[in-house]
Amino acid sequence: MKFTAKRVVVSVAVAGIAVVGVGATVIATAADPVSPEITSPAPAEAGHGDEGRYTTGDYVLNVHELDDDGAGVTTAIGPHTTYYSKTLHGTGNRRHTVVKFSAGPESDAPIVFSYPVPAAGRAVYCVATGTEAAPQVRCETTALPAR
Protein backbone atom coordinates (compact mmCIF):
# COMPACT_ATOMS: atom_id res chain seq x y z
CA MET A 1 0.00 0.00 0.00
CA LYS A 2 1.39 3.31 -1.03
CA PHE A 3 1.14 6.16 1.50
CA THR A 4 0.32 9.50 -0.02
CA ALA A 5 -0.04 12.82 1.73
CA LYS A 6 -3.77 12.76 1.05
CA ARG A 7 -4.20 9.29 2.63
CA VAL A 8 -2.21 10.30 5.71
CA VAL A 9 -4.28 13.48 6.20
CA VAL A 10 -7.58 11.59 5.78
CA SER A 11 -6.45 8.81 8.16
CA VAL A 12 -5.37 11.30 10.82
CA ALA A 13 -8.64 13.23 10.48
CA VAL A 14 -10.75 10.05 10.84
CA ALA A 15 -8.72 8.93 13.85
CA GLY A 16 -9.05 12.38 15.43
CA ILE A 17 -12.84 12.40 15.01
CA ALA A 18 -13.06 8.94 16.59
CA VAL A 19 -10.96 10.01 19.58
CA VAL A 20 -13.04 13.17 20.10
CA GLY A 21 -16.29 11.18 19.89
CA VAL A 22 -15.14 8.58 22.41
CA GLY A 23 -13.75 11.27 24.71
CA ALA A 24 -17.01 13.23 24.67
CA THR A 25 -18.97 10.10 25.56
CA VAL A 26 -16.63 9.29 28.45
CA ILE A 27 -16.79 12.86 29.76
CA ALA A 28 -20.61 12.96 29.54
CA THR A 29 -20.89 9.61 31.34
CA ALA A 30 -18.45 10.62 34.07
CA ALA A 31 -20.21 13.95 34.62
CA ASP A 32 -23.61 12.35 35.27
CA PRO A 33 -23.32 8.64 36.04
CA VAL A 34 -26.38 6.61 37.02
CA SER A 35 -25.72 4.10 39.78
CA PRO A 36 -26.65 0.51 39.00
CA GLU A 37 -30.01 -0.72 40.25
CA ILE A 38 -29.86 -2.62 43.55
CA THR A 39 -32.74 -5.00 44.26
CA SER A 40 -33.87 -5.63 47.81
CA PRO A 41 -35.44 -8.93 48.85
CA ALA A 42 -37.80 -7.02 51.18
CA PRO A 43 -41.19 -6.16 49.66
CA ALA A 44 -42.41 -2.58 49.32
CA GLU A 45 -44.49 -1.18 52.17
CA ALA A 46 -48.18 -2.01 51.87
CA GLY A 47 -50.08 0.90 50.34
CA HIS A 48 -46.96 2.40 48.75
CA GLY A 49 -46.29 0.09 45.83
CA ASP A 50 -45.12 1.78 42.63
CA GLU A 51 -43.93 4.82 44.61
CA GLY A 52 -40.66 6.40 45.55
CA ARG A 53 -39.85 6.72 49.25
CA TYR A 54 -37.20 9.33 50.04
CA THR A 55 -35.84 9.84 53.55
CA THR A 56 -33.62 12.82 54.29
CA GLY A 57 -30.86 13.35 56.80
CA ASP A 58 -29.68 16.66 58.26
CA TYR A 59 -30.22 18.72 55.09
CA VAL A 60 -32.74 19.55 52.37
CA LEU A 61 -32.78 16.88 49.66
CA ASN A 62 -33.95 17.77 46.15
CA VAL A 63 -35.42 14.81 44.30
CA HIS A 64 -35.62 15.13 40.51
CA GLU A 65 -37.76 12.41 38.84
CA LEU A 66 -36.91 12.86 35.16
CA ASP A 67 -37.59 11.36 31.75
CA ASP A 68 -35.06 10.84 28.94
CA ASP A 69 -35.43 14.50 27.90
CA GLY A 70 -34.62 15.78 31.40
CA ALA A 71 -38.20 16.91 32.03
CA GLY A 72 -40.10 15.87 35.11
CA VAL A 73 -40.83 16.70 38.72
CA THR A 74 -38.51 18.21 41.34
CA THR A 75 -39.44 18.04 45.02
CA ALA A 76 -37.52 19.62 47.91
CA ILE A 77 -37.78 17.53 51.07
CA GLY A 78 -36.94 19.07 54.43
CA PRO A 79 -34.44 17.60 56.91
CA HIS A 80 -35.44 14.45 58.83
CA THR A 81 -38.47 13.78 56.63
CA THR A 82 -39.81 10.79 54.72
CA TYR A 83 -41.67 11.62 51.52
CA TYR A 84 -43.65 9.24 49.31
CA SER A 85 -43.81 10.13 45.61
CA LYS A 86 -46.76 8.99 43.54
CA THR A 87 -45.10 10.38 40.38
CA LEU A 88 -42.09 7.99 40.36
CA HIS A 89 -43.21 6.34 37.13
CA GLY A 90 -44.21 9.61 35.48
CA THR A 91 -47.37 11.56 34.86
CA GLY A 92 -49.62 11.55 31.82
CA ASN A 93 -47.64 10.61 28.72
CA ARG A 94 -44.22 11.11 30.35
CA ARG A 95 -42.40 8.12 31.80
CA HIS A 96 -39.61 8.89 34.24
CA THR A 97 -36.40 6.95 33.70
CA VAL A 98 -34.05 8.34 36.36
CA VAL A 99 -34.16 9.83 39.84
CA LYS A 100 -31.45 12.41 40.54
CA PHE A 101 -30.60 13.97 43.88
CA SER A 102 -29.05 17.27 44.91
CA ALA A 103 -28.43 18.62 48.40
CA GLY A 104 -29.29 22.00 49.86
CA PRO A 105 -32.00 24.62 49.53
CA GLU A 106 -31.23 25.42 45.87
CA SER A 107 -33.14 23.16 43.45
CA ASP A 108 -30.45 23.63 40.80
CA ALA A 109 -27.61 22.47 43.08
CA PRO A 110 -25.19 19.95 41.53
CA ILE A 111 -26.45 16.38 41.22
CA VAL A 112 -24.83 14.13 43.83
CA PHE A 113 -26.45 10.78 42.99
CA SER A 114 -28.59 9.24 40.23
CA TYR A 115 -30.60 6.02 40.25
CA PRO A 116 -32.68 4.34 37.50
CA VAL A 117 -36.45 4.29 37.91
CA PRO A 118 -37.48 0.64 38.28
CA ALA A 119 -40.07 -1.06 36.10
CA ALA A 120 -43.74 -0.52 36.86
CA GLY A 121 -44.88 -2.59 39.82
CA ARG A 122 -41.70 -1.87 41.76
CA ALA A 123 -40.89 0.82 44.30
CA VAL A 124 -37.63 2.60 45.07
CA TYR A 125 -36.47 3.47 48.59
CA CYS A 126 -33.74 6.07 48.98
CA VAL A 127 -32.05 7.31 52.16
CA ALA A 128 -29.87 10.42 52.36
CA THR A 129 -27.14 10.60 54.99
CA GLY A 130 -23.97 12.61 55.49
CA THR A 131 -23.98 16.39 55.41
CA GLU A 132 -25.05 18.99 52.88
CA ALA A 133 -21.38 19.52 52.02
CA ALA A 134 -20.76 15.76 51.69
CA PRO A 135 -24.13 14.13 50.98
CA GLN A 136 -24.57 10.41 50.51
CA VAL A 137 -27.67 8.83 48.99
CA ARG A 138 -28.37 5.11 48.83
CA CYS A 139 -31.29 3.60 46.91
CA GLU A 140 -32.71 0.15 46.37
CA THR A 141 -35.59 -1.27 44.36
CA THR A 142 -38.26 -3.40 46.04
CA ALA A 143 -41.02 -5.59 44.66
CA LEU A 144 -44.67 -5.14 45.54
CA PRO A 145 -45.82 -7.11 48.59
CA ALA A 146 -47.32 -10.56 47.99
CA ARG A 147 -51.12 -10.66 48.04
Side-chain angles (χ1 to χ4, degrees), residues 34 46 79 91 93 108 114 122-123 134 143:
V34 176
T91 55
N93 294 333
D108 61 347
S114 298
R122 302 182 71 92

Side-chain angles (χ1 to χ4, degrees), residues 5 11 15 24 27 31 41 44 51 70 109 114 123-125 131 133 136-138 143:
S11 296
I27 289 169
E51 294 182 8
S114 298
V124 64
Y125 291 168
T131 64
Q136 297 174 350
V137 179
R138 185 177 70 62

Side-chain angles (χ1 to χ4, degrees), residues 40-46 48-49 53 122-123 125 140-147:
S40 170
E45 290 179 21
H48 293 288
R53 181 182 79 183
R122 302 182 71 92
Y125 291 168
E140 59 184 40
T141 298
T142 60
L144 292 178
R147 295 182 187 220

Side-chain angles (χ1 to χ4, degrees), residues 63-146:
V63 179
H64 313 273
E65 295 171 336
L66 306 173
D67 64 15
D68 287 334
D69 296 329
V73 179
T74 296
T75 305
I77 306 167
H80 306 287
T81 302
T82 296
Y83 172 78
Y84 291 90
S85 170
K86 295 184 184 297
T87 61
L88 174 66
H89 292 289
T91 55
N93 294 333
R94 293 199 178 272
R95 180 175 167 356
H96 295 150
T97 56
V98 67
V99 181
K100 297 183 178 190
F101 300 89
S102 59
E106 304 300 322
S107 64
D108 61 347
I111 300 300
V112 297
F113 184 74
S114 298
Y115 191 78
V117 170
R122 302 182 71 92
V124 64
Y125 291 168
C126 301
V127 177
T129 59
T131 64
E132 185 178 327
Q136 297 174 350
V137 179
R138 185 177 70 62
C139 295
E140 59 184 40
T141 298
T142 60
L144 292 178

